[in-house]
Amino acid sequence: SSDSSSSRGALIVLEGLDRCGKTTQSSNLHKYLEGLGHSAELWRFPDRTTSVGQMISSYLSNESQLDDRAIHLLFSANRWEKRSLMESKLKSGTTIIVDRYSYSGVAFSSAKGLDFEWCKAPEKGLLAPDLVVYLDIPPEKATERGGYGGERYEQLEFQKKVRQSYQALHDASWKIVDACGSVKDIEKQLQEIVLESIGLCQKEKPLTCLWS
Ligand code: NYM
């Protein structure tokens, strides 16, 4: 049925380079949806609160070294450990805004030179987002924003490669938003796109899996 009491929530993913503004925007979006009375949660990957997440966090802060493929699989495992909770939340009508998902997994690992298809393989079977928004920023602009926290990957040359990987990964369904605009302007665009997606999910759009 299409009444909102029994309809499912939407899986909304925000992607982009480091310092593109995703975290600010996901949080504002979450507040906006709650303000409208929607049931909504804000998630992020990596989820550093789990034990897998702690291994990832120590790798990102250069406290530990890991083989490129091993860390890739940990990022993926970190999504798999949240999959069933994600599915039950969506089915019970909660919309989930996710700050990074499988696309970050493939974009960052393939930017290191790992095979693209190999990177995608462990993501197969995770829930497919209803909407992917890519906050597009030139890597040079992102560096100017400063505040690179000194974590692994936060370097201009590497971010250029990540951007190329995202370009190879995206399809026509992605919404590309110019991340150089004002926070308010981007916020407005996101609100419109996301409400449309939530509306479609309420009309019984089926939940599917990556990568179809
Ligand atoms: N990252 C994130 C990956 O390399 N693979 C993944 O699967 C995910 C989800 O981790 N530079 C990278 C992208 C970021 C870093 O993310 C940490 P954040 O959003 O800064 O916590």
Side-chain angles (χ1 to χ4, degrees):
S1 85
S2 62
D3 77 288
S4 59
S5 58
S6 62
S7 62
R8 73 172 179 91
L11 180 57
I12 312 285
V13 169
L14 270 73
E15 286 284 357
L17 299 181
D18 290 306
R19 305 299 294 162
C20 71
K22 268 180 310 73
T23 305
T24 304
Q25 291 296 342
S26 346
S27 149
N28 291 352
L29 190 56
H30 176 233
K31 285 181 209 136
Y32 170 75
L33 293 177
E34 285 199 317
L36 291 180
H38 286 274
S39 162
E41 287 190 7
L42 177 57
W43 288 28
R44 68 178 311 144
F45 289 109
D47 177 341
R48 304 186 193 215
T49 65
T50 70
S51 49
V52 172
Q54 283 162 28
M55 292 175 72
I56 294 172
S57 189
S58 100
Y59 170 81
L60 288 171
S61 60
N62 289 303
E63 283 159 32
S64 66
Q65 309 304 321
L66 283 169
D67 173 83
D68 288 344
R69 288 178 179 80
I71 182 65
H72 181 78
L73 295 172
L74 288 179
F75 273 114
S76 185
N78 188 228
R79 285 181 279 280
W80 277 102
E81 63 183 341
K82 303 303 290 275
R83 189 198 183 284
S84 64
L85 183 63
M86 185 180 260
E87 183 169 358
S88 62
K89 296 261 178 194
L90 291 169
K91 285 187 169 162
S92 72
T94 299
T95 284
I96 307 180
I97 312 290
V98 195
D99 182 348
R100 297 194 181 284
Y101 197 56
S102 303
Y103 312 95
S104 285
V106 178
F108 281 77
S109 292
S110 67
K112 293 172 169 172
L114 294 186
D115 179 75
F116 202 69
E117 293 307 319
W118 187 90
C119 291
K120 284 171 83 172
E123 307 298 317
K124 284 180 188 158
L126 288 171
L127 296 174
D130 295 296
L131 172 68
V132 180
V133 181
Y134 181 76
L135 290 183
D136 192 25
I137 191 167
E140 293 79 5
K141 261 263 157 59
T143 357
E144 278 168 25
R145 289 187 172 178
Y148 268 6
E151 281 206 329
R152 218 181 273 262
Y153 305 148
E154 297 179 341
Q155 288 153 10
L156 179 60
E157 287 314 307
F158 189 73
Q159 299 283 321
K160 286 183 184 168
K161 290 185 189 150
V162 174
R163 195 188 200 207
Q164 286 171 358
S165 303
Y166 271 124
Q167 275 162 359
L169 201 55
H170 92 276
D171 65 44
S173 71
W174 285 29
K175 301 285 183 193
I176 315 289
V177 171
D178 182 0
C180 297
S182 76
V183 173
K184 277 277 164 254
D185 200 50
I186 297 168
E187 201 174 301
K188 278 260 166 319
Q189 293 181 56
L190 283 176
Q191 291 170 356
E192 195 176 312
I193 305 170
V194 165
L195 286 183
E196 187 192 345
S197 176
I198 291 175
L200 289 174
C201 294
Q202 288 171 344
K203 290 187 188 121
E204 291 185 283
K205 176 175 176 272
L207 200 51
T208 60
C209 295
L210 289 175
W211 308 79
S212 49

